[in-house]
Amino acid sequence: MLPHGHELGREHGIPCGLRACAAAADLKLLVIRGLILHHPFFGGSQRTESEARLFNNLVLLVNATDVMWELALPAGADRDHEYCNPMVGERPEEWGRMRTKGWRVVVVGGCGDQLIDRQRELMAELEAKGVQVVGFFDGEGNCHMVEMMEPAKAELFLEKLKEII
C-alpha cells in the first residue's frame, strides 16, 4: 500500500505517511511501502522563482494561495508554519523512519505549476536524508493538477506511476 497525498499533501499525505511509518508495528496486516505526494500544496514566507514567474497563473493564483493559507493556518502563524512549509522544524527522525523502513516517496508536480520549486525542494531534502525518492515532473506547460483537467495526461500519469511503484 502507498498512502496518497493529493494536492494538500502537507496537511494530509505527509502526516498520514509519517504516522503510519511510526506505527508500522501496530499495522501488522497492512504493509505500507511508501508515500505518493501528488501535486503537494506547499508554501513559505519567501517567494520562490516559480511563484514569482507564475504569479498570475489562472489555474492557481499566488494571491489565492496566500488567502488559503491565511484561512487554514492557526491564528498568528505565517506561511513558515509546519503545516505549510515542510522545510521548517526538525524532521530528521521522521525522515529517518522512512529511510529505515525502505519506503519510496513519489513526488509529482507540473513544471508550469507555481509550486514546483517547493516540490523539488522537498524531494532534494528527502534525498539528502537518504530516503528513496522518485520525482515525476512533467512538461513546462503543465499546470497544477493538470491530470484532473486533461484525461490524456491522467492516463500518462497513471502509466508512469505503475512503472514507479
Side-chain angles (χ1 to χ4, degrees):
M1 179 179 160
L2 287 152
H4 177 255
H6 168 77
E7 192 169 297
L8 292 174
R10 175 65 193 119
E11 294 76 36
H12 306 294
I14 291 176
C16 172
L18 292 172
R19 285 186 191 113
C21 195
D26 297 331
L27 303 172
K28 292 181 176 100
L29 298 177
L30 181 65
V31 178
I32 299 175
R33 303 271 187 223
L35 178 64
I36 301 169
L37 298 173
H38 185 245
H39 293 267
F41 191 98
F42 301 132
S45 293
Q46 297 295 316
R47 294 280 185 232
T48 64
E49 185 278 329
S50 61
E51 288 170 331
R53 180 172 42 86
L54 298 165
F55 191 85
N56 291 315
N57 181 305
L58 295 178
V59 175
L60 188 63
L61 295 166
V62 172
N63 290 340
T65 65
D66 290 348
V67 170
M68 286 185 233
W69 284 120
E70 185 178 326
L71 294 170
L73 292 172
D78 65 14
R79 291 187 310 275
D80 280 331
H81 188 278
E82 66 178 332
Y83 293 166
C84 181
N85 188 346
M87 301 289 95
V88 300
E90 297 294 322
R91 302 234 182 277
E93 184 179 318
E94 293 171 328
W95 302 141
R97 275 196 294 266
M98 287 183 171
R99 181 187 63 249
T100 301
K101 296 195 180 303
W103 277 25
R104 183 182 304 180
V105 177
V106 179
V107 182
V108 181
C111 293
D113 182 353
Q114 71 183 47
L115 304 174
I116 190 76
D117 291 343
R118 296 192 188 279
Q119 296 159 355
R120 287 183 170 150
E121 182 182 19
L122 174 67
M123 191 174 121
E125 173 73 13
L126 291 170
E127 285 176 333
K129 300 297 183 193
V131 177
Q132 291 181 358
V133 184
V134 176
F136 180 58
F137 301 105
D138 54 7
E140 185 59 39
N142 290 335
C143 62
H144 190 73
M145 301 304 298
V146 67
E147 298 89 2
M148 300 302 204
M149 297 175 266
E150 297 183 32
K153 294 200 176 172
E155 284 184 39
L156 176 64
F157 166 66
L158 291 174
E159 288 303 315
K160 287 283 191 187
L161 194 57
K162 287 177 191 175
E163 292 172 17
I164 293 168
I165 60 172

